[in-house]
Amino acid sequence: MPFELYYNERAGRASKLYPQVLALMEAYTNDVRRVPEWSQYGDTYIVLGGDGTFNTLLNSLPQPEKFRYILLSGGTSNSLYSQLSPDEEPLAKLRRAFTNPTFQELDLPELTIDGKTYHFINEASAGFAAAIAHEVEQRQTKRFFNRLKLSELAYIATAFRCWRKDEPYFLSLCNNRRISGDLYPCVNANPSDGKIDVYELHCPRWRLPFKLMKLVKAKTDKVSKFVSRKQVTNAEWHFDTPLPVEIDGNPLSPTQNIRLGLYPKKIQVF
């Protein structure tokens, strides 16, 4: 079989799209088998979910670069999808993939933490944003708001709780310009430019909401007394105390040391 569906029933509207995606796959099976390019790269995954779903798949494969990926937006934020396929409905995109599959070569960043290496595709963070991801998963707030079709409120409610108790330090490693919601820490980030854009914020607690508001639908990258930005291909950070870490919204164990690496144009994504 030239393709396989990877599906996250907990992600956004993925469960609603699932039967329609299956029906399309069955309708186009013969057509897909006759496309010569598919067999050249091995199996292709159709990924139905959000950034976290794609991240989970990448980190479950020993060699993720051996496969190709068709992304279908079914998650909460779908940040990478909105960059690659703006304003395109997932079913229309799947039909296009079956009839005219043109894949992009994207960079594959990786984070090494306490001797373990993790891939990410959209964004990784440490500190405040990662604390939000940790608490959303622990409290299952996201699942509750997903049922109400108000998934973004899960992050807003959790951000307020984290702001009251956590250190206002925010490190964001961006392979894409948009992260969860409408936050744009690095508007020049591009998933195929061979660079990771780094946003670092360390400010007094009372300033944090105002600094984050400036990232909402931001159009330019600016530095300030509390904000630094740079582009890197590899880097290391050491923290005085263990900080929470997340990759594409998936929480990792708190750590004091992280190392960033990057493989340019490593994987093929549609």
Side-chain angles (χ1 to χ4, degrees), residues 145-211:
F145 281 102
N146 278 346
R147 287 200 298 266
L148 299 178
K149 302 184 185 301
L150 297 170
S151 52
E152 291 293 344
L153 289 182
Y155 291 96
I156 295 173
T158 306
F160 179 72
R161 286 196 298 269
C162 291
W163 172 71
R164 294 174 60 189
K165 66 178 184 178
D166 291 326
E167 181 70 17
Y169 172 76
F170 180 9
L171 173 67
S172 184
L173 311 175
C174 300
N175 193 38
N176 187 22
R177 59 195 181 94
R178 174 175 172 256
I179 61 173
S180 182
D182 282 323
L183 294 181
Y184 291 75
C186 300
V187 299
N188 295 316
N190 187 300
S192 57
D193 65 355
K195 298 177 182 177
I196 294 295
D197 289 54
V198 179
Y199 171 89
E200 193 166 9
L201 168 67
H202 202 162
C203 66
R205 189 180 306 278
W206 68 271
R207 282 184 178 268
L208 183 63
F210 302 100
K211 291 294 181 182

Coordinates of all heavy atoms in Angstrom, one line a residue, residues 145-211:
F145 N -12.4 21.8 25.9 CA -12.8 22.9 25.0 C -12.9 22.4 23.6 O -13.7 23.1 22.8 CB -11.7 24.0 25.1 CG -11.9 24.9 26.3 CD1 -11.1 24.7 27.4 CD2 -12.8 25.9 26.4 CE1 -11.2 25.5 28.5 CE2 -13.0 26.7 27.5 CZ -12.2 26.5 28.6
N146 N -12.2 21.4 23.2 CA -12.4 20.8 21.8 C -13.9 20.4 21.6 O -14.4 20.6 20.5 CB -11.5 19.7 21.6 CG -10.1 20.1 21.2 OD1 -9.9 21.3 20.8 ND2 -9.1 19.2 21.2
R147 N -14.4 19.8 22.6 CA -15.8 19.3 22.5 C -16.8 20.5 22.3 O -17.8 20.3 21.7 CB -16.2 18.5 23.8 CG -15.6 17.1 23.8 CD -16.3 16.2 24.8 NE -16.3 16.7 26.1 CZ -15.4 16.3 27.1 NH1 -14.5 15.5 26.7 NH2 -15.4 16.8 28.3
L148 N -16.4 21.6 22.9 CA -17.3 22.8 22.8 C -16.9 23.6 21.6 O -17.5 24.7 21.3 CB -17.1 23.7 24.0 CG -17.5 23.1 25.4 CD1 -17.2 24.1 26.5 CD2 -18.9 22.7 25.4
K149 N -15.9 23.1 20.8 CA -15.5 23.9 19.6 C -14.9 25.2 19.9 O -15.0 26.2 19.2 CB -16.6 24.0 18.5 CG -17.2 22.7 18.1 CD -18.2 22.9 17.0 CE -18.9 21.6 16.6 NZ -18.0 20.6 16.1
L150 N -14.2 25.3 21.1 CA -13.6 26.5 21.6 C -12.2 26.2 22.0 O -11.7 26.6 23.1 CB -14.4 27.1 22.8 CG -15.9 27.5 22.5 CD1 -16.6 27.8 23.8 CD2 -15.9 28.7 21.6
S151 N -11.5 25.5 21.2 CA -10.2 25.0 21.6 C -9.1 26.0 21.9 O -8.3 25.8 22.8 CB -9.6 24.1 20.4 OG -9.6 24.8 19.2
E152 N -9.2 27.2 21.3 CA -8.2 28.2 21.6 C -8.4 28.7 23.1 O -7.4 29.2 23.7 CB -8.3 29.4 20.6 CG -7.9 29.1 19.2 CD -6.4 28.8 19.1 OE1 -5.7 29.2 20.0 OE2 -6.0 28.3 18.1
L153 N -9.6 28.6 23.6 CA -9.8 29.1 25.0 C -9.0 28.2 26.0 O -8.7 28.7 27.1 CB -11.3 29.1 25.3 CG -12.1 30.1 24.6 CD1 -13.6 30.0 25.0 CD2 -11.6 31.5 24.9
A154 N -8.7 27.0 25.6 CA -7.9 26.2 26.5 C -6.6 26.8 26.8 O -6.1 26.8 27.9 CB -7.8 24.8 25.9
Y155 N -6.0 27.3 25.7 CA -4.6 27.9 25.9 C -4.7 29.3 26.6 O -3.9 29.6 27.4 CB -4.0 28.1 24.5 CG -3.6 26.8 23.9 CD1 -4.5 26.1 23.0 CD2 -2.4 26.1 24.2 CE1 -4.1 24.9 22.4 CE2 -2.1 24.9 23.7 CZ -2.9 24.3 22.8 OH -2.6 23.1 22.2
I156 N -5.8 30.0 26.3 CA -5.9 31.3 27.0 C -6.1 31.2 28.5 O -5.5 31.8 29.3 CB -7.1 32.1 26.4 CG1 -6.8 32.4 24.9 CG2 -7.4 33.4 27.1 CD1 -8.0 33.0 24.1
A157 N -7.0 30.2 28.9 CA -7.3 30.0 30.3 C -6.0 29.5 31.0 O -5.7 29.9 32.1 CB -8.4 29.0 30.4
T158 N -5.3 28.6 30.3 CA -4.1 28.0 30.9 C -3.0 29.1 31.0 O -2.2 29.1 32.0 CB -3.6 26.8 30.2 OG1 -4.7 25.9 30.0 CG2 -2.5 26.1 30.8
A159 N -2.9 29.9 30.0 CA -1.8 31.0 30.0 C -2.0 31.9 31.2 O -1.0 32.3 31.8 CB -1.9 31.8 28.7
F160 N -3.2 32.2 31.5 CA -3.5 33.1 32.7 C -3.0 32.4 34.0 O -2.4 33.1 34.8 CB -5.0 33.4 32.8 CG -5.3 34.3 34.0 CD1 -4.9 35.6 34.0 CD2 -6.0 33.8 35.1 CE1 -5.2 36.4 35.1 CE2 -6.3 34.6 36.1 CZ -5.9 35.9 36.1
R161 N -3.3 31.1 34.1 CA -2.8 30.4 35.3 C -1.3 30.4 35.4 O -0.7 30.6 36.5 CB -3.4 29.0 35.4 CG -4.9 28.9 35.7 CD -5.2 27.5 36.1 NE -5.0 26.5 35.0 CZ -6.0 26.2 34.1 NH1 -7.2 26.8 34.2 NH2 -5.7 25.4 33.2
C162 N -0.7 30.1 34.3 CA 0.8 30.0 34.2 C 1.4 31.4 34.5 O 2.5 31.5 35.1 CB 1.3 29.4 32.9 SG 0.9 27.7 32.6
W163 N 0.8 32.4 34.0 CA 1.4 33.8 34.2 C 1.4 34.1 35.7 O 2.3 34.8 36.1 CB 0.5 34.8 33.4 CG 0.8 36.2 33.7 CD1 1.9 36.9 33.3 CD2 0.1 37.1 34.4 NE1 1.9 38.2 33.7 CE2 0.8 38.4 34.5 CE3 -1.2 37.0 35.1 CZ2 0.3 39.5 35.1 CZ3 -1.6 38.2 35.8 CH2 -0.9 39.4 35.8
R164 N 0.4 33.6 36.4 CA 0.4 34.0 37.8 C 1.4 33.3 38.7 O 1.8 33.7 39.7 CB -1.0 33.6 38.4 CG -2.1 34.5 37.8 CD -3.5 34.0 38.2 NE -3.6 34.0 39.7 CZ -4.7 33.5 40.3 NH1 -5.6 32.9 39.7 NH2 -4.7 33.6 41.7
K165 N 2.0 32.1 38.1 CA 2.8 31.3 39.0 C 4.2 31.1 38.4 O 5.2 30.7 39.2 CB 2.2 30.0 39.4 CG 2.0 29.1 38.2 CD 1.4 27.8 38.6 CE 1.3 26.8 37.5 NZ 0.7 25.5 37.9
D166 N 4.4 31.2 37.1 CA 5.7 30.7 36.5 C 6.6 31.9 36.2 O 6.1 33.1 36.0 CB 5.4 29.9 35.2 CG 4.8 28.6 35.5 OD1 5.2 28.0 36.5 OD2 4.0 28.1 34.7
E167 N 7.9 31.6 36.1 CA 8.9 32.7 35.7 C 8.6 33.2 34.3 O 8.4 32.4 33.4 CB 10.3 32.1 35.8 CG 11.4 33.0 35.5 CD 11.6 34.1 36.6 OE1 11.0 33.9 37.7 OE2 12.2 35.1 36.3
P168 N 8.5 34.5 34.1 CA 8.2 35.0 32.7 C 9.4 35.0 31.8 O 9.8 36.0 31.3 CB 7.7 36.4 33.0 CG 8.4 36.8 34.3 CD 8.6 35.6 35.1
Y169 N 9.9 33.8 31.5 CA 10.9 33.6 30.5 C 10.4 32.8 29.4 O 9.7 31.8 29.6 CB 12.1 32.9 31.2 CG 13.2 32.4 30.1 CD1 14.1 33.4 29.6 CD2 13.3 31.1 29.7 CE1 15.0 33.0 28.6 CE2 14.2 30.7 28.8 CZ 15.1 31.7 28.2 OH 16.0 31.3 27.3
F170 N 10.6 33.2 28.2 CA 10.0 32.6 27.0 C 11.1 32.4 25.9 O 11.6 33.4 25.4 CB 8.9 33.5 26.6 CG 8.1 33.0 25.4 CD1 8.3 31.7 24.8 CD2 7.1 33.8 24.8 CE1 7.5 31.3 23.7 CE2 6.4 33.4 23.7 CZ 6.6 32.1 23.1
L171 N 11.4 31.2 25.6 CA 12.4 30.9 24.5 C 11.6 30.1 23.5 O 11.0 29.1 23.7 CB 13.5 30.0 25.0 CG 14.5 29.5 24.0 CD1 15.3 30.6 23.3 CD2 15.5 28.4 24.6
S172 N 11.6 30.6 22.3 CA 10.9 30.0 21.2 C 11.8 29.8 20.0 O 12.5 30.7 19.5 CB 9.7 30.9 20.7 OG 8.9 30.2 19.7
L173 N 11.9 28.5 19.5 CA 12.7 28.1 18.4 C 11.8 27.9 17.2 O 11.1 26.8 17.2 CB 13.6 26.9 18.8 CG 14.3 26.9 20.1 CD1 15.0 25.6 20.4 CD2 15.3 28.1 20.1
C174 N 11.8 28.8 16.3 CA 10.8 28.8 15.2 C 11.3 28.3 13.9 O 12.3 28.9 13.3 CB 10.2 30.2 15.0 SG 9.4 30.8 16.5
N175 N 10.7 27.2 13.4 CA 11.0 26.8 12.0 C 9.9 27.3 11.1 O 9.9 27.2 9.9 CB 11.0 25.2 12.0 CG 11.6 24.7 10.7 OD1 12.5 25.3 10.1 ND2 11.0 23.6 10.2
N176 N 8.9 27.9 11.7 CA 7.7 28.5 11.0 C 7.3 29.8 11.7 O 7.6 29.9 12.9 CB 6.5 27.5 11.0 CG 5.4 27.9 10.2 OD1 5.5 28.7 9.2 ND2 4.2 27.4 10.5
R177 N 6.8 30.7 10.9 CA 6.5 32.0 11.5 C 5.3 32.1 12.5 O 5.3 32.9 13.4 CB 6.3 33.0 10.4 CG 5.2 32.8 9.5 CD 5.2 33.6 8.2 NE 4.1 33.4 7.3 CZ 3.0 34.1 7.3 NH1 2.9 35.1 8.1 NH2 2.1 33.9 6.5
R178 N 4.4 31.2 12.4 CA 3.3 31.2 13.3 C 3.3 30.0 14.2 O 3.5 28.9 13.8 CB 2.0 31.1 12.4 CG 0.7 31.0 13.3 CD -0.5 31.1 12.4 NE -1.7 30.8 13.2 CZ -2.4 29.6 13.1 NH1 -2.0 28.7 12.3 NH2 -3.5 29.4 13.8
I179 N 3.1 30.2 15.5 CA 2.9 29.2 16.5 C 1.5 29.1 17.0 O 0.6 29.7 16.3 CB 4.0 29.3 17.6 CG1 3.8 30.6 18.4 CG2 5.4 29.2 17.1 CD1 4.6 30.6 19.7
S180 N 1.2 28.5 18.1 CA -0.1 28.3 18.5 C -1.0 29.6 18.5 O -0.5 30.7 18.9 CB -0.1 27.7 19.9 OG -1.4 27.5 20.4
G181 N -2.2 29.5 18.1 CA -3.1 30.7 18.0 C -2.6 31.6 16.9 O -2.2 31.2 15.8
D182 N -2.6 32.9 17.2 CA -2.1 33.9 16.3 C -0.8 34.6 16.7 O -0.6 35.7 16.4 CB -3.2 35.0 16.1 CG -4.3 34.6 15.2 OD1 -4.1 33.8 14.2 OD2 -5.5 34.9 15.5
L183 N 0.0 33.8 17.4 CA 1.3 34.3 17.8 C 2.3 34.2 16.7 O 2.5 33.1 16.2 CB 1.8 33.6 19.1 CG 0.9 33.9 20.4 CD1 1.5 33.1 21.5 CD2 0.8 35.3 20.7
Y184 N 3.1 35.3 16.4 CA 4.1 35.3 15.4 C 5.4 35.8 16.1 O 5.8 36.9 15.9 CB 3.7 36.2 14.3 CG 2.6 35.6 13.4 CD1 1.2 35.7 13.9 CD2 2.8 35.1 12.2 CE1 0.2 35.2 13.1 CE2 1.8 34.6 11.4 CZ 0.5 34.7 11.9 OH -0.6 34.2 11.1
P185 N 6.1 34.9 16.8 CA 7.4 35.4 17.4 C 8.4 35.8 16.4 O 9.2 36.7 16.6 CB 7.8 34.2 18.3 CG 6.6 33.4 18.4 CD 5.8 33.6 17.2
C186 N 8.5 35.0 15.3 CA 9.5 35.3 14.3 C 8.9 35.3 12.9 O 8.7 34.2 12.3 CB 10.6 34.2 14.4 SG 11.5 34.1 15.9
V187 N 8.5 36.4 12.4 CA 7.7 36.5 11.2 C 8.5 36.1 10.0 O 8.0 35.9 8.9 CB 7.0 37.9 11.0 CG1 6.1 38.1 12.2 CG2 8.1 38.9 10.9
N188 N 9.8 36.1 10.1 CA 10.7 35.7 9.0 C 11.0 34.3 8.9 O 11.8 33.8 8.0 CB 12.0 36.6 9.0 CG 11.7 38.1 8.8 OD1 10.9 38.4 7.9 ND2 12.3 38.9 9.6
A189 N 10.6 33.5 9.9 CA 10.9 32.1 9.9 C 10.3 31.4 8.7 O 9.1 31.7 8.3 CB 10.4 31.4 11.2
N190 N 11.0 30.4 8.2 CA 10.5 29.7 7.0 C 11.0 28.2 7.1 O 12.1 27.9 7.4 CB 11.1 30.3 5.7 CG 10.6 29.7 4.5 OD1 10.7 28.5 4.2 ND2 9.9 30.5 3.7
P191 N 10.1 27.2 6.9 CA 10.4 25.8 7.2 C 11.4 25.2 6.1 O 11.7 24.0 6.3 CB 9.1 25.1 7.2 CG 8.2 26.0 6.4 CD 8.6 27.4 6.6
S192 N 11.8 26.0 5.2 CA 12.7 25.4 4.2 C 13.9 26.4 3.8 O 14.5 26.3 2.8 CB 11.9 25.1 2.9 OG 11.3 26.3 2.4
D193 N 14.2 27.3 4.8 CA 15.3 28.2 4.5 C 16.7 27.8 5.1 O 17.7 28.5 5.1 CB 15.0 29.6 5.0 CG 14.8 29.7 6.5 OD1 14.9 28.6 7.2 OD2 14.6 30.8 7.0
G194 N 16.7 26.6 5.8 CA 18.0 26.1 6.4 C 18.4 26.8 7.6 O 19.5 26.7 8.1
K195 N 17.4 27.5 8.3 CA 17.7 28.3 9.5 C 16.6 28.1 10.5 O 15.4 27.9 10.1 CB 17.9 29.7 9.2 CG 19.1 30.0 8.3 CD 19.2 31.5 8.0 CE 20.4 31.8 7.0 NZ 20.5 33.2 6.7
I196 N 16.9 28.3 11.8 CA 15.9 28.3 12.9 C 15.9 29.8 13.4 O 17.0 30.3 13.7 CB 16.2 27.3 14.0 CG1 16.1 25.9 13.5 CG2 15.3 27.6 15.2 CD1 14.7 25.5 13.1
D197 N 14.8 30.4 13.5 CA 14.7 31.7 14.1 C 14.4 31.6 15.6 O 13.5 30.9 16.0 CB 13.5 32.5 13.4 CG 13.9 32.9 12.0 OD1 14.2 32.0 11.2 OD2 13.8 34.1 11.6
V198 N 15.2 32.3 16.4 CA 15.1 32.2 17.8 C 14.5 33.5 18.4 O 15.0 34.6 18.1 CB 16.5 31.9 18.4 CG1 16.4 31.9 20.0 CG2 17.1 30.7 17.9
Y199 N 13.5 33.3 19.2 CA 12.9 34.5 19.9 C 13.1 34.2 21.4 O 12.8 33.2 21.9 CB 11.4 34.6 19.6 CG 10.7 35.6 20.5 CD1 10.5 36.9 20.1 CD2 10.1 35.2 21.7 CE1 9.8 37.8 20.9 CE2 9.4 36.1 22.5 CZ 9.3 37.4 22.0 OH 8.6 38.3 22.8
E200 N 13.7 35.2 22.1 CA 14.0 35.0 23.6 C 13.4 36.2 24.3 O 13.8 37.4 24.0 CB 15.4 34.8 23.8 CG 15.8 34.4 25.2 CD 17.2 33.9 25.3 OE1 18.0 34.0 24.4 OE2 17.5 33.3 26.4
L201 N 12.6 36.0 25.3 CA 12.0 37.1 26.1 C 12.2 36.8 27.6 O 11.9 35.7 28.1 CB 10.5 37.1 25.8 CG 9.6 38.0 26.8 CD1 10.0 39.5 26.6 CD2 8.1 37.8 26.5
H202 N 12.8 37.8 28.3 CA 12.9 37.7 29.7 C 12.6 39.1 30.3 O 13.4 40.0 30.1 CB 14.4 37.3 30.1 CG 14.5 36.7 31.5 ND1 15.5 35.9 31.9 CD2 13.6 36.7 32.5 CE1 15.3 35.5 33.1 NE2 14.2 36.0 33.5
C203 N 11.5 39.2 31.0 CA 11.0 40.5 31.4 C 10.3 40.4 32.8 O 10.0 39.3 33.2 CB 10.0 41.0 30.4 SG 8.5 40.1 30.2
P204 N 10.0 41.5 33.4 CA 9.2 41.5 34.7 C 7.8 40.9 34.4 O 7.3 41.0 33.3 CB 9.1 42.9 35.0 CG 10.3 43.6 34.4 CD 10.5 42.8 33.1
R205 N 7.3 40.2 35.4 CA 6.0 39.6 35.2 C 4.9 40.5 34.7 O 4.1 40.1 33.8 CB 5.6 38.9 36.6 CG 4.4 38.0 36.4 CD 4.0 37.4 37.8 NE 5.1 36.8 38.4 CZ 5.5 35.6 38.1 NH1 4.8 34.8 37.3 NH2 6.5 35.0 38.7
W206 N 4.8 41.7 35.2 CA 3.7 42.6 34.8 C 3.8 43.0 33.3 O 2.8 43.3 32.7 CB 3.7 43.8 35.7 CG 4.9 44.8 35.5 CD1 6.0 44.7 36.2 CD2 4.9 45.9 34.6 NE1 6.9 45.8 35.8 CE2 6.2 46.5 34.8 CE3 4.1 46.4 33.7 CZ2 6.6 47.6 34.1 CZ3 4.5 47.5 32.9 CH2 5.7 48.1 33.2
R207 N 5.0 42.9 32.7 CA 5.2 43.2 31.3 C 4.9 42.1 30.4 O 4.6 42.4 29.2 CB 6.7 43.7 31.1 CG 7.0 45.0 31.5 CD 8.5 45.3 31.1 NE 8.9 46.7 31.5 CZ 8.8 47.8 30.7 NH1 8.2 47.6 29.5 NH2 9.2 48.9 31.1
L208 N 4.8 40.9 30.8 CA 4.7 39.7 30.0 C 3.4 39.8 29.1 O 3.5 39.6 27.9 CB 4.7 38.4 30.8 CG 4.6 37.1 30.0 CD1 5.8 37.0 29.0 CD2 4.5 35.9 30.9
P209 N 2.2 40.1 29.6 CA 1.1 40.1 28.8 C 1.2 41.1 27.6 O 0.7 40.9 26.5 CB -0.1 40.5 29.7 CG 0.4 40.1 31.1 CD 1.9 40.3 31.0
F210 N 1.8 42.3 27.9 CA 2.0 43.3 26.9 C 2.9 42.9 25.8 O 2.8 43.2 24.6 CB 2.4 44.6 27.6 CG 1.5 45.1 28.6 CD1 1.7 44.9 30.0 CD2 0.3 45.8 28.3 CE1 0.9 45.4 30.9 CE2 -0.6 46.2 29.2 CZ -0.3 46.0 30.6
K211 N 4.0 42.2 26.2 CA 5.0 41.7 25.3 C 4.4 40.6 24.4 O 4.6 40.6 23.1 CB 6.2 41.1 26.0 CG 7.1 42.2 26.7 CD 7.7 43.1 25.7 CE 8.6 44.2 26.4 NZ 9.2 45.1 25.4

